Amino acid sequence: MNHWPQLSRPLDDAKLRVISHGGGVQTSVLCLMAARGEIGPLPDFALFADTGSELRRTYAYLTWLQTQLPFPIVILRRPGPSLGELALSVVHGERPRSGSTLPPFYALDEAGSKSMMPKQCSKDFKTRVVAKEVARLLGIKPKTRGPAEPVVEMWIGMSRDELTRVATNEKKWIHNRHPLVELNMTRRDCVRWAEERQYRLPAKSSCKWCPFRDNAAWQSMSVDDPIDFEEACQFDESIRGGWPGLNGELYIHRGFRPLRESVLAEPDPQLPFDRDCDHCGS
C-alpha cells in the first residue's frame, strides 16, 4: 500500500520530466523500466551530477546504460574544481576553509577526540547542480525564484525500503516523483527485475574516496577497483595534516587510521556520528 500519495505520483501537464540519476541500482532500473514503457510518461533526460571523483566503473556503466535508452543521459559538472581538487586546495592552504564545500572527513584532534565533519558535498555537488541545469532548460534566469507551482517532474530513485529519505524538492517548481515507491518496489526488487531481464547492474555509486564506506567496502574496493583504491589511498595521505590551523589529523577511514592499513584490519564498530550518504548509491 502506498503511504506517500502526494510524494509519489505523476505531475499533470509537466513541462519537463527528468530522472535525477544517482549512478546506482535504483535509478538505473528506473531508466530501464522507462525505456521498456513500464513507467510513463517517458522522461526527457536523465541527469547525472559528476563530482569528478566517481569510480571508473560508474562512468563505464553510464556509457553502457546510454545504449539501452531512448532518452539521453546528461553528465553535469559544477563549475570550477572537482570536489577532490577543492578539498586538497583547502588542505594545502590555497583556499580558505570558510565557505568551502568539503567531504565529511573523520577528524582526530590532539587530545584524542574523534568526530565527523558535516556533510555538505552531496547538496552542493549533486542536488543543486541538477536543479541548476533543470532551471537552465526551462529558461529560468539565475537568482530568480521561478514558477510558484511545480512544472517539472523529477524522478528520484528512492525505493520502498528508503521511505525515510522521501522528501519534497527545495525548489517549488520541481515536483519530486518516486516511481519505485508507487510500484511498492524495494532495492532487492530492482535487482531481481534487472536480473530476470538479463540487464547489467552498476556498483554502488560514490566518490572513490567517500568516507561513508565501511571496512568491508574498502576491502572489496581494493580487490575490485585497485586503481581507484590506490588513488583513494593517495588522497587519504594528502589530507592527513588537515588545513592550516587545524589541531589534529583527517582520515577517510572510519577507523581513524590510514586507508592502506584498513585492508588488513578487523571490521570497525559503528560510530555514534556515522551515517550513510543520502545522495550516493541510489
Side-chain angles (χ1 to χ4, degrees), residues 20-36:
S20 179
H21 202 308
V25 169
Q26 285 100 315
T27 43
S28 297
V29 168
L30 275 184
C31 288
L32 292 167
M33 293 181 78
R36 294 170 64 95

Side-chain angles (χ1 to χ4, degrees), residues 21-89:
H21 202 308
V25 169
Q26 285 100 315
T27 43
S28 297
V29 168
L30 275 184
C31 288
L32 292 167
M33 293 181 78
R36 294 170 64 95
E38 296 184 25
I39 303 175
L42 194 70
D44 299 287
F45 304 94
L47 302 177
F48 176 79
D50 177 13
T51 65
S53 301
E54 313 290 336
L55 292 167
R56 282 173 169 77
R57 55 177 166 167
T58 295
Y59 296 121
Y61 183 83
L62 289 173
T63 298
W64 171 82
L65 182 61
Q66 181 63 90
T67 67
Q68 309 297 308
L69 306 177
F71 51 87
I73 300 176
V74 180
I75 297 180
L76 310 169
R77 284 283 296 271
R78 181 176 125 157
S82 68
L83 179 55
E85 292 168 343
L86 178 60
L88 292 180
S89 69

